[in-house]
Amino acid sequence: MPGSRCPRPALPILRWLPRYSRAWLPLDLLAGLAVGLTAVPQALAYAELAGLPLQYGLYSSFMGCFVYCFLGTAKDVTLGPTAIMSLLVSSYAFHQPVYAVLLAFLSGCIQLAMGLLHLGFLLDFISCPVIKGFTSAASITISFNQIKNILGLQGVPRQFFLQVYETLRRIGETRSAPSLPCSLPCSCGVLGSAASLLSLWSHPGLISGSLPGAVTQLPLSCGFVGALPEPTACLGWHCCACYRAGDAVLGLTCLAALAGLRAMKSHLPRAAPAEPLAVRISYLIVWISATARNALVVLFAGLVAYSFQVLGSQPFRLTGSIPQGLPALRPPPFSLAAPNGTVPFLSMVQDMGVGLAVVPLMGLLETVAIAKAFGVANVLGSFVSSFPITGSFGRTAVNAQSGVCTPAGGLVTGALVLLSLAYLTSLFYYIPKAALAAVIISAVVPMFDAGIFLTLWRVKRLDLVPLCVTFLLCFWEIQYGIVAGVLLSGILLLYSVARPPIKVSEGAVLLVQPGGSLHFPAVEHLRGAVCSRALAASPARSVVLDCCHISSIDYTVVLGLAELQQELRGHGLSLAFCGLKDPVLRVLLSADFEGFQHFPSWEEAGEALGCCPRTG
Amino acid sequence: MPGSRCPRPALPILRWLPRYSRAWLPLDLLAGLAVGLTAVPQALAYAELAGLPLQYGLYSSFMGCFVYCFLGTAKDVTLGPTAIMSLLVSSYAFHQPVYAVLLAFLSGCIQLAMGLLHLGFLLDFISCPVIKGFTSAASITISFNQIKNILGLQGVPRQFFLQVYETLRRIGETRSAPSLPCSLPCSCGVLGSAASLLSLWSHPGLISGSLPGAVTQLPLSCGFVGALPEPTACLGWHCCACYRAGDAVLGLTCLAALAGLRAMKSHLPRAAPAEPLAVRISYLIVWISATARNALVVLFAGLVAYSFQVLGSQPFRLTGSIPQGLPALRPPPFSLAAPNGTVPFLSMVQDMGVGLAVVPLMGLLETVAIAKAFGVANVLGSFVSSFPITGSFGRTAVNAQSGVCTPAGGLVTGALVLLSLAYLTSLFYYIPKAALAAVIISAVVPMFDAGIFLTLWRVKRLDLVPLCVTFLLCFWEIQYGIVAGVLLSGILLLYSVARPPIKVSEGAVLLVQPGGSLHFPAVEHLRGAVCSRALAASPARSVVLDCCHISSIDYTVVLGLAELQQELRGHGLSLAFCGLKDPVLRVLLSADFEGFQHFPSWEEAGEALGCCPRTG
């Protein structure tokens, strides 16, 4: 996982920059390039996933690289948009850039605050089963969402289970789509830009009513009736229904290609320097194509789409025009100009609600150690219209495999993103949506960890409870899943603290040894157990409490033990302590525990009590 | 504290009844009588405190005795109204018997449910500092409330701090009250019963508007203007203002008497059988008068009041007429007939709100072990118009000191209460309110434990935090204090679980020994600490993790340890385990932890790693 926990100087860049060796340069360049080739297509795809105009993906992708170059501690971590974050943004930013950017700013502030106030330990309470349950559920939700997009189904509800139902019910619509290329001219004569029509397809949310403009039912030539906002047009192309089949085919092809390249890479044997040049070169080719697979697939799909365009027909939904140029450098928006008056800051915050807790926490989940870097990245990012970002596992892996030497690699990646913003957006026009969907799916599918269920069954069954609860509830609402999981594992934790294992060995005296630390919720239980065991036998036996595992006790425990002693005395028995660690002994002594007796070892205690049993 | 935790048969009465010896009978009778003589005056006083008509105190006092006789496990515990419970009732039952009785029923059901579902462990999370903070705050609140009543100040806000302010501001009114007996005839010629006027005085709550009837300002002859609901009258007695001075004097006298008798008892030397008869008799006299001090003081005050009455002037506010006879046996009210339509069950439940959690929990606080008895007592009690009851420490002490042998003593107490309900209520008419106030104060003052602050400072300073928070917030709202205290001690607990002490001993290898159990929130911290310590020294050292104090681990911990191992490997170091207990070892093995090595003792582990340090 990204981010080592080892000691760091004040400004991490000072750790490597002064002793930067020229030998590292090519490697950092190569790695930065490789990451960039993954980052750019993913940026577009994740913006799509977040329900934002695609340029925001790119806006979000460079600041992280630069910031982390200065504040980063691990050489291979890369910050930027991730599938999880985009999913969260899509559910807390209402598909509105204004909300997304503000969310980035506030999340950054909260992360910084957590770092400065040393609140990182809060994240320790999100146990691994909860994380696994969340990510697995997220990967399913995201993938399914994309499949739905590929099938071009619209007006499908956001709630996952309804989504599944709707999709399965209407999947026939795809099959019934006309064979492509559909030769019928389009009947809807409304004027407008093709882009508006196409880009709209990427947002079922927009089409199902959340768009300001009026929405009309347009009967299209191939019999499909879709709700298209005007102004819109087909400009002689095929109507939207016709894209379904094309998108489905292209999407599956890209998915297969990505999976294949991924598999190839994982099975690639290390090329020994001894091998002949040809082998090494072919190895290099495979390696590069596998590493830059996202870029390659998107490029290929774009070329296909472009050639269809040239042939005068377009079976795919395209990304459409993306505004060129770098984002304006301006403070994040603290109010929203809505058609019905401006929405003030506070009500925006209220709208985002629990998102302001979930997003920063999820952003730090695996990388508390670099909370500062993340916080700064989000805060600064919000000044260049970035949505919330975090550490990307996929790109971090690419970075590591490309043999990056220092965080300087990030500079190259960032530069690449800026360049593509400056010059390539016009080319992005031809990227098919389906290709981006494939990029997303291939990125999130590995996040689904089916093995964890089996592993937990084998290793620790109790942990299956938070896992399953989180997993299932996350399909309903992400925050419910996480909160329920955290609470549940908290309760299980507290229960195990309240009921530590107590080892009791019978004998002339009863030797009682609490298995773990003794905290206040456990003392009544201990007392009951000891008392009943001591009085169960006849004659009743005195008790030796072996505290070797107890590292600290609180006042409630002291009282409980005092009461236990009184209770035993009431039956003419005594209680002795042994194996007391200094802090515990100090507390017990300071409590001037009446009739308190302790011994270094339980044998001595046993003798002391055993030889002369007090009779009440 | 009441209620031993030792093993119990199904129906506890079967434990002692079959072998009931005649020798026990007189002792049980005496004890039952002694408790009864405390129970009856306290019943009246606590009803007053709960803001209910006084007969409800008696209604609440007998069922507990009978139930506990059957279900009781400790011979000396007595159930009935207590100051704490009455305080809670006064804040959750709105001075309306209907609510109080329903509260008793529901609390009983909840307590039974907790007993059956083994939810008793929930109470373990209410730590001793929280309890102490709550009871200390309660004793101050209650005492102050009574002082205010003695001074006869009305319309004083319920909120404690405002109450203090108001009282201090208006305390002059007492001093300025006319010398008694006030010779002026009363000017308010409204018709009605004296009782209504007098009893109203005991309920500032009622006077400050919560009474259905109209409230008028009546100018009284001695210049005092009080808001008295009509119909009301003075019937030629002195107006209410005049009672202040009298009540103040009487109240303080009773208080002094009770304190004196209490002190006497505690300093009473044990009378040895050897001593002459005279000594033993005088001892007995002192003992009896000290044990039955509440009854004596109330009786004395009643006589004084009666004689004033005979002399034709009345300087004290009296209890007034209490309806004679046993309570009707009927199910608790599930709806309330209010002037503006009936209040349905659900909205009554909503009105009581958090009270439905606080009352049952506080009722069980110190006596989880007999939750069943308490639940049954409350449920059955609610059928005879009882308000919530619990174990009374004061009367339990009386019971024990009177040498009770079996729970049968409760039968006598219960009978005594029933008798007084049947025949004595007419005498209670003359009991001055001030005497009851004194009874309450002398009962609650010992609950204030000033020492605890010092003790905690000496023993465990951290526990001062929940103590103080609970103590202070309880003056604001009881439930806030308790909830805040519980949450706070929970957080402190979780923090100590998340940051167990880690003992690190330097050497050729690093020996790391977690002080307590290792739960998931602790593993990241452990990892960071170990990693930094291992790499701090040069050459970096391998690590031996001594798990002798770890009794169980969860999957998150396993993962964390695996990652720690990888991290160390990355630096060419290794990680070995020693002192693994079986359950822990089983988990680690089942997780097929790659490169997992463990040794029985840390010496062996040290040698194994020390001799052949792997170099990455």
Side-chain angles (χ1 to χ4, degrees):
Chain A
M1 56 138 275
S4 122
R5 295 227 177 350
C6 295
R8 292 177 298 282
L11 190 60
I13 190 172
L14 300 177
R15 198 164 126 197
W16 54 268
L17 193 56
R19 50 186 185 78
Y20 194 89
S21 105
R22 189 171 294 143
W24 298 347
L25 195 54
L27 285 163
D28 281 351
L29 280 173
L30 175 67
L33 199 67
V35 174
L37 287 177
T38 315
V40 172
Q42 281 189 340
L44 300 171
Y46 291 155
E48 177 89 36
L49 175 56
L52 300 171
L54 299 202
Q55 61 273 23
Y56 282 90
L58 295 165
Y59 295 164
S60 313
S61 300
F62 59 88
M63 189 54 87
C65 305
F66 297 142
V67 168
Y68 194 77
C69 174
F70 286 89
L71 300 180
T73 48
K75 65 185 194 319
D76 51 8
V77 174
T78 63
L79 270 60
T82 65
I84 294 279
M85 264 300 159
S86 306
L87 178 67
L88 293 175
V89 169
S90 75
S91 49
Y92 296 119
F94 320 108
H95 301 186
Q96 296 189 41
V98 178
Y99 277 97
V101 175
L102 182 58
L103 187 55
F105 176 75
L106 295 176
S107 305
C109 296
I110 292 167
Q111 291 173 328
L112 279 176
M114 284 181 66
L116 298 177
L117 302 178
H118 299 97
L119 293 179
F121 79 92
L122 290 180
L123 289 158
D124 296 345
F125 288 96
I126 305 181
S127 68
C128 166
V130 174
I131 297 171
K132 288 282 185 182
F134 162 64
T135 48
S136 299
S139 80
I140 294 180
T141 319
I142 295 171
S143 314
F144 196 85
N145 209 329
Q146 295 309 310
I147 291 171
K148 184 199 69 191
N149 285 357
I150 289 181
L151 298 183
L153 296 176
Q154 52 173 285
V156 174
R158 243 191 90 249
Q159 208 284 322
F160 181 76
F161 298 109
L162 297 177
Q163 221 176 60
V164 175
Y165 170 76
E166 272 292 296
T167 311
L168 296 181
R169 194 172 64 72
R170 290 165 47 182
I171 200 154
E173 290 177 16
T174 310
R175 258 188 258 92
S176 72
S179 61
L180 84 199
C182 155
S183 59
L184 300 169
C186 187
S187 67
C188 51
V190 194
L191 295 175
S193 78
S196 69
L197 166 59
L198 296 170
S199 69
L200 282 164
W201 274 93
S202 63
H203 304 308
L206 285 180
I207 291 204
S208 55
S210 73
L211 190 89
V215 171
T216 56
Q217 292 284 337
L218 301 176
L220 302 183
S221 53
C222 59
F224 170 75
V225 175
L228 304 181
E230 36 194 338
T232 190
C234 298
L235 303 176
W237 302 350
H238 304 293
C239 66
C240 311
C242 309
Y243 293 115
R244 293 228 189 91
D247 287 338
V249 171
L250 181 66
L252 295 176
T253 319
C254 295
L255 213 47
L258 286 167
L261 288 166
R262 184 196 189 84
M264 238 167 56
K265 181 167 189 175
S266 55
H267 293 92
L268 197 61
R270 272 243 150 275
E275 307 214 15
L277 188 65
V279 177
R280 298 235 301 286
I281 287 175
S282 60
Y283 170 87
L284 200 64
I285 292 168
V286 175
W287 185 85
I288 289 173
S289 52
T291 306
R293 60 183 181 277
N294 288 293
L296 283 179
V297 166
V298 167
L299 186 66
F300 153 83
L303 286 174
V304 173
Y306 181 72
S307 24
F308 270 105
Q309 189 77 4
V310 172
L311 297 175
S313 93
Q314 186 49 272
F316 313 123
R317 283 186 288 117
L318 302 184
T319 295
S321 59
I322 296 177
Q324 194 155 25
L326 307 185
L329 178 65
R330 58 159 178 262
F334 291 111
S335 67
L336 166 60
N340 44 13
T342 61
V343 183
F345 176 67
L346 281 182
S347 62
M348 285 178 81
V349 169
Q350 282 175 354
D351 294 343
M352 294 188 276
V354 66
L356 289 173
V358 174
V359 171
L361 285 179
M362 290 297 123
L364 292 182
L365 208 42
E366 288 282 3
T367 45
V368 191
I370 44 181
K372 201 169 41 161
F374 281 39
V376 173
N378 274 318
V379 169
L380 293 185
S382 68
F383 283 77
V384 293
S385 310
S386 156
F387 60 77
I389 63 175
T390 180
S392 154
F393 283 72
R395 297 196 294 280
T396 299
V398 171
N399 209 2
Q401 291 152 3
S402 317
V404 71
C405 300
T406 68
L411 296 177
V412 183
T413 311
L416 206 65
V417 173
L418 288 177
L419 285 175
S420 53
L421 259 173
Y423 305 112
L424 303 183
T425 48
S426 50
L427 302 182
F428 294 158
Y429 182 102
Y430 294 101
I431 297 176
K433 297 273 183 201
L436 295 183
V439 167
I440 294 175
I441 293 175
S442 72
V444 296
V445 161
M447 288 186 342
F448 177 75
D449 182 355
I452 188 69
F453 292 89
L454 259 131
T455 313
L456 286 187
W457 177 261
R458 214 177 57 241
V459 176
K460 187 88 176 179
R461 301 207 177 147
L462 196 59
D463 282 353
L464 276 170
V465 182
L467 174 70
C468 296
V469 167
T470 313
F471 181 70
L472 293 176
L473 284 183
C474 275
F475 287 119
W476 178 23
E477 277 287 353
I478 294 169
Q479 65 263 37
Y480 297 163
I482 293 167
V483 170
V486 168
L487 287 182
L488 197 54
S489 42
I491 289 168
L492 293 176
L493 173 62
L494 283 176
Y495 189 85
S496 71
V497 170
R499 295 291 177 267
I502 297 176
K503 210 174 95 196
V504 179
S505 22
E506 313 275 348
V509 298
L510 203 67
L511 177 66
V512 180
Q513 187 185 60
S517 307
L518 201 56
H519 299 286
F520 69 83
V523 71
E524 279 306 324
H525 172 65
L526 174 71
R527 214 177 98 177
V530 170
C531 176
S532 53
R533 292 296 289 275
L535 301 178
S538 60
R541 292 159 302 187
S542 288
V543 178
V544 174
L545 194 64
D546 182 354
C547 303
C548 65
H549 295 320
I550 301 176
S551 53
S552 81
I553 60 176
D554 54 48
Y555 182 66
T556 312
V557 173
V558 175
L559 270 196
L561 294 175
E563 283 169 6
L564 171 61
Q565 188 183 36
Q566 281 172 25
E567 226 163 312
L568 290 172
R569 279 209 176 158
H571 297 88
L573 305 170
S574 44
L575 172 68
F577 296 79
C578 72
L580 288 168
K581 294 182 184 170
D582 293 348
V584 181
L585 180 58
R586 214 173 303 115
V587 169
L588 286 173
L589 288 175
S590 66
D592 30 281
F593 200 136
E594 181 230 348
F596 169 68
Q597 45 184 337
H598 66 105
F599 304 88
S601 79
W602 68 267
E603 291 85 353
E604 297 169 60
E607 281 162 18
L609 299 191
C611 64
C612 48
R614 291 175 56 253
T615 51
Chain B
M1 55 140 279
S4 125
R5 296 228 176 348
C6 295
R8 292 177 297 281
L11 190 61
I13 189 172
L14 299 178
R15 198 164 126 199
W16 54 269
L17 192 58
R19 50 187 185 79
Y20 194 87
S21 104
R22 186 169 298 143
W24 298 347
L25 195 54
L27 285 163
D28 282 350
L29 279 173
L30 176 67
L33 199 67
V35 174
L37 287 176
T38 316
V40 171
Q42 281 190 340
L44 300 171
Y46 291 156
E48 177 90 34
L49 175 56
L52 300 172
L54 299 203
Q55 62 271 24
Y56 283 90
L58 295 166
Y59 295 164
S60 312
S61 300
F62 59 88
M63 187 55 86
C65 305
F66 297 142
V67 168
Y68 194 77
C69 174
F70 286 90
L71 301 179
T73 49
K75 65 185 191 327
D76 51 8
V77 174
T78 63
L79 268 61
T82 65
I84 293 279
M85 264 301 159
S86 307
L87 179 66
L88 294 175
V89 169
S90 74
S91 49
Y92 296 119
F94 320 107
H95 300 186
Q96 297 189 40
V98 178
Y99 277 96
V101 174
L102 183 59
L103 187 55
F105 176 75
L106 295 176
S107 305
C109 295
I110 291 167
Q111 290 172 328
L112 279 175
M114 284 181 65
L116 297 177
L117 302 176
H118 300 290
L119 294 180
F121 79 92
L122 289 180
L123 289 160
D124 295 344
F125 288 95
I126 305 181
S127 69
C128 166
V130 174
I131 298 172
K132 288 281 186 184
F134 162 64
T135 48
S136 298
S139 80
I140 293 180
T141 318
I142 295 172
S143 314
F144 195 84
N145 209 328
Q146 294 309 310
I147 290 171
K148 183 198 69 190
N149 284 357
I150 289 182
L151 299 182
L153 297 177
Q154 53 171 287
V156 174
R158 242 190 91 250
Q159 207 284 322
F160 182 75
F161 299 108
L162 296 178
Q163 219 174 62
V164 175
Y165 170 74
E166 272 291 297
T167 311
L168 295 181
R169 196 172 61 73
R170 290 165 48 183
I171 200 152
E173 291 177 13
T174 310
R175 261 188 254 91
S176 72
S179 62
L180 80 203
C182 154
S183 57
L184 301 167
C186 186
S187 66
C188 50
V190 193
L191 294 175
S193 76
S196 71
L197 166 58
L198 295 171
S199 70
L200 280 165
W201 272 93
S202 63
H203 304 310
L206 285 179
I207 290 200
S208 55
S210 72
L211 191 89
V215 171
T216 56
Q217 291 286 337
L218 301 176
L220 302 183
S221 53
C222 59
F224 170 74
V225 175
L228 303 180
E230 35 193 339
T232 189
C234 300
L235 303 175
W237 301 352
H238 304 294
C239 66
C240 311
C242 309
Y243 293 116
R244 291 226 189 96
D247 287 339
V249 172
L250 181 66
L252 294 177
T253 318
C254 294
L255 211 46
L258 286 167
L261 287 166
R262 182 195 190 85
M264 240 168 55
K265 182 167 190 174
S266 55
H267 294 93
L268 196 61
R270 274 243 150 273
E275 307 212 16
L277 188 65
V279 177
R280 299 236 300 286
I281 287 176
S282 59
Y283 170 86
L284 200 65
I285 292 169
V286 175
W287 185 87
I288 288 175
S289 51
T291 306
R293 60 183 179 278
N294 288 294
L296 282 180
V297 166
V298 168
L299 187 65
F300 153 81
L303 286 174
V304 172
Y306 181 73
S307 25
F308 270 104
Q309 189 78 3
V310 171
L311 298 175
S313 92
Q314 185 51 268
F316 312 124
R317 283 187 287 114
L318 302 184
T319 295
S321 61
I322 294 176
Q324 194 155 24
L326 307 186
L329 178 65
R330 57 158 179 263
F334 292 112
S335 69
L336 166 60
N340 44 13
T342 61
V343 181
F345 176 67
L346 281 181
S347 61
M348 285 178 81
V349 169
Q350 283 175 353
D351 294 342
M352 294 188 277
V354 66
L356 289 173
V358 174
V359 172
L361 286 179
M362 288 298 122
L364 291 181
L365 207 43
E366 287 282 3
T367 45
V368 189
I370 43 180
K372 200 169 41 159
F374 281 39
V376 172
N378 274 319
V379 168
L380 293 186
S382 69
F383 283 77
V384 291
S385 311
S386 156
F387 60 77
I389 63 175
T390 181
S392 154
F393 282 71
R395 297 195 294 279
T396 299
V398 171
N399 208 2
Q401 291 153 1
S402 317
V404 71
C405 300
T406 69
L411 295 177
V412 182
T413 311
L416 206 63
V417 173
L418 288 177
L419 284 174
S420 54
L421 259 174
Y423 304 111
L424 303 184
T425 49
S426 49
L427 301 183
F428 295 157
Y429 183 101
Y430 294 101
I431 299 175
K433 296 273 185 200
L436 294 182
V439 167
I440 295 176
I441 293 174
S442 72
V444 297
V445 160
M447 286 185 345
F448 177 75
D449 183 355
I452 187 69
F453 292 89
L454 260 133
T455 313
L456 286 187
W457 177 261
R458 217 178 54 241
V459 177
K460 187 86 177 178
R461 300 205 179 148
L462 196 59
D463 282 353
L464 277 170
V465 182
L467 174 69
C468 295
V469 168
T470 313
F471 181 70
L472 293 176
L473 284 182
C474 276
F475 287 119
W476 179 22
E477 276 287 353
I478 293 169
Q479 66 263 37
Y480 297 162
I482 292 167
V483 169
V486 168
L487 287 182
L488 196 55
S489 42
I491 290 168
L492 293 177
L493 173 62
L494 284 175
Y495 189 84
S496 71
V497 171
R499 296 292 178 265
I502 298 176
K503 211 174 92 196
V504 180
S505 20
E506 313 275 349
V509 297
L510 203 68
L511 177 65
V512 180
Q513 186 185 59
S517 308
L518 201 57
H519 299 285
F520 69 83
V523 71
E524 279 306 325
H525 172 65
L526 174 71
R527 214 179 98 175
V530 170
C531 175
S532 53
R533 292 295 290 273
L535 302 178
S538 60
R541 291 158 301 188
S542 288
V543 178
V544 174
L545 193 65
D546 182 354
C547 303
C548 66
H549 295 320
I550 301 175
S551 52
S552 81
I553 60 176
D554 54 47
Y555 183 66
T556 312
V557 173
V558 175
L559 271 196
L561 294 175
E563 282 170 5
L564 172 61
Q565 189 183 36
Q566 281 172 25
E567 225 163 312
L568 290 172
R569 279 209 175 158
H571 297 88
L573 305 170
S574 43
L575 172 68
F577 295 80
C578 70
L580 289 167
K581 293 182 184 170
D582 294 350
V584 182
L585 180 59
R586 215 174 301 118
V587 169
L588 286 173
L589 289 174
S590 66
D592 30 281
F593 198 138
E594 181 231 345
F596 168 68
Q597 45 183 336
H598 65 105
F599 304 87
S601 80
W602 68 268
E603 293 86 351
E604 296 169 60
E607 283 163 15
L609 300 191
C611 62
C612 47
R614 291 175 55 254
T615 50

